[in-house]
Every structure is written in structure tokens, then in C-alpha cells.
Amino acid sequence: MKIHPTAIVENEALIAEDVEVGPYAVIGREVQLGAGCVVQAHAVLTGRVIFGEKNKIGYGCVIGAPPQDFAFNESVISEVRIGSGNTFREYVTIHRGTKDGSATVIGNDNFLMTGCHAGHNVQIGNKTIIANNCLLAGYVEIGDGAVLGGGTVFHQFLRVGGYTMIRGGTRFGKDIPPYVAADGENLLSGINAVGMRRNGFSQASRSEVRQLFRLFFRSGLNMAQAQAEASENTWGAEATHFLDFIASSKRGVCKTLIRNGTDESEEAE
């Protein structure tokens, strides 16, 4: 174990033997750090925070702090659970759950860039890329493989489907279905065909998702009409996931501007 002499590590913390802790880092007594983790200078890990293996916690990160929730009671026992292989760059902040027994959960192999914030009870899947200064309010859910552009703001309880591509500098208050590209305030521009191909989704899967995208967002039908028409066909796994996501939305889903012809993301196929 390599711990800088200026770091403060409480005795009760559970730290694997090969963990590295940099200057002036602070690690609280309820923290668990798995093998191969690196905690850089001035990072603060506080409260009940459980890390898997090979996570890199960047300079000045604060992980496990109480939620920014006026209703939060300091007696609540909640936590942050983090998988393995994640990178948290400088000044990332992640707050623990706001209700007793709840957790903020981050999966494996995610990359959160400088200044990102994950509020209480956020759920992030695996292999996401969340660029600088993205702000995820409480209970936001991010699916596997999503790419969130820098400076983007997400309203509480919002869901972002897997393998989406979201333009930076935007803001969203409605759900973003999986496999799509989003480029404006609550606006979709097409499917993320390039992202789907790079992640190994077949031509048939991409075609089905494109077909459903056009049905729901280009045909002029409302959601109920589009769902009724879609139910008349049998779909593969990715298209079925797309349909289930829309059907389960509580906030409503983002829309698109009706256009004639195809859009750039479809033509990129």
C-alpha cells in the first residue's frame, strides 16, 4: 500500500494492499477500495463508499458526500457503490443516496471527465463517456455505452437509454430513448448508427431501430398510434428494448422536428 504521508486515512477504511493514495487525500472510515485503485491528491472519499478494482479517482474529487436535498436527514444510512475500471477525472462529485438504504450506483469501465456531477441515487451503467461538466440531477439513469457531450444538464428522474450520443451544451427534461442521437433541448436528430455499429450491433438491428425511429418521430403519428402500429410486428432484441423504453416512460420522451427525407445520422450508415 502506497499512502502519501500527508493523506488522512481513517483506520476503519478497508483498503487493498496495492492501493495508491496521493497527497492530502482524505479517506473516511466507511470507505472500501478494491485492488489497483488510485486516489490522487486532494480527493475526498467520505461516507459509505464501496469501490471495486482498478478505479482512478482524480485530483480534488469528492465522492460520497451527503446529497443536496433539503429533505435529507443526517441519520439516514445510504451509500455510493462503484464497480471496477472507472476513471473519475478532476473535481468529479458523486453524492450518496438520499433515502435510508438507498444508493448511487456506477457500473464498470465508465469515464467521467472533469467537473461532472452525479446527484443522489443516480444510476450509471457500463462503458459510458460523460464529458466535462455534465450535471446529472437526482435519480437520473444512464444506460450502457451512452456518450454525453460536455456541459449537458439532465433533469431529475430523467432516463437516458443505452448507446445514445448526446450533443454538448444542451439540456434535457424528458427521457432519451436508446440508440438515438440528441442535439437540442429535448430534441432528437436520428439514430446513433455509428455508435451502434462500433458496439457490434448488426445491420438488421440498426435497420429495425431506424424503422421504429421513423415511425415514432418522423411519421406524424402520436405515441399511442405509433405504439399500436409497432405492436403489429415482431421485433428483434434492440428494437424491442427501444419500444419497451418508450412504453415505460413516466416523464415522456424527447421529440424531433418533422423533416422530409432522412437526416444526417441516418445517412451516416
Side-chain angles (χ1 to χ4, degrees):
M1 192 182 305
K2 184 179 179 182
I3 299 179
H4 194 275
T6 62
I8 298 174
V9 181
E10 297 195 32
N11 292 332
E12 296 88 345
L14 299 177
I15 301 177
E17 292 184 359
D18 61 347
V19 167
E20 298 181 21
V21 181
Y24 301 101
V26 177
I27 299 177
R29 61 185 179 84
E30 295 185 282
V31 173
Q32 300 179 32
L33 284 162
C37 287
V38 176
V39 182
Q40 294 185 312
H42 296 279
V44 177
L45 311 181
T46 183
R48 184 173 296 185
V49 185
I50 302 169
F51 289 90
E53 300 179 351
K54 297 180 180 179
N55 293 290
K56 185 173 182 180
I57 299 101
Y59 302 104
C61 288
V62 179
I63 300 178
Q68 296 175 141
D69 180 356
F70 287 128
F72 179 70
N73 188 320
E74 290 290 345
S75 66
V76 161
I77 297 174
S78 60
E79 61 188 27
V80 175
R81 296 198 298 269
I82 294 173
S84 299
N86 298 288
T87 297
F88 305 102
R89 291 296 301 263
E90 301 88 340
Y91 308 109
V92 166
T93 57
I94 302 171
H95 291 170
R96 62 181 182 264
T98 192
K99 294 182 179 179
D100 209 32
S102 70
T104 302
V105 179
I106 296 175
N108 304 313
D109 302 314
N110 297 289
F111 187 8
L112 277 68
M113 299 184 190
T114 301
C116 288
H117 172 68
H120 62 80
N121 302 94
V122 160
Q123 312 283 305
I124 297 175
N126 305 308
K127 297 183 178 180
T128 67
I129 299 174
I130 303 179
N132 303 54
N133 301 313
C134 278
L135 305 179
L136 312 181
Y139 293 98
V140 165
E141 298 179 17
I142 308 294
D144 294 348
V147 179
L148 313 186
T152 306
V153 180
F154 299 88
H155 194 279
Q156 62 183 349
F157 295 101
L158 182 151
R159 298 181 305 154
V160 177
Y163 305 99
T164 53
M165 174 69 73
I166 297 177
R167 177 184 176 184
T170 52
R171 58 184 182 179
F172 294 89
K174 293 184 179 296
D175 291 346
I176 303 169
Y179 316 120
V180 304
D183 66 352
E185 184 174 348
N186 293 328
L187 288 177
L188 309 177
S189 58
I191 73 163
N192 183 20
V194 173
M196 290 187 72
R197 186 169 61 246
R198 287 175 177 172
N199 283 282
F201 294 104
S202 69
Q203 172 69 46
S205 293
R206 301 195 303 271
S207 295
E208 284 193 344
V209 171
R210 178 183 291 104
Q211 184 179 345
L212 287 176
F213 184 91
R214 290 172 175 168
L215 175 63
F216 276 85
F217 302 110
R218 294 277 190 256
S219 67
L221 299 177
N222 63 36
M223 286 291 165
Q225 291 168 331
Q227 286 171 331
E229 186 167 326
S231 68
E232 296 177 0
N233 297 325
T234 300
W235 304 95
E238 284 71 40
T240 298
H241 177 52
F242 182 92
L243 289 169
D244 290 344
F245 184 99
I246 291 176
S248 62
S249 177
K250 295 179 180 178
R251 293 194 59 83
V253 298
C254 292
K255 306 294 184 182
T256 186
L257 298 175
I258 300 295
R259 303 168 183 165
N260 295 321
T262 60
D263 56 27
E264 292 181 359
S265 63
E266 292 175 324
E267 292 170 354
E269 183 73 273

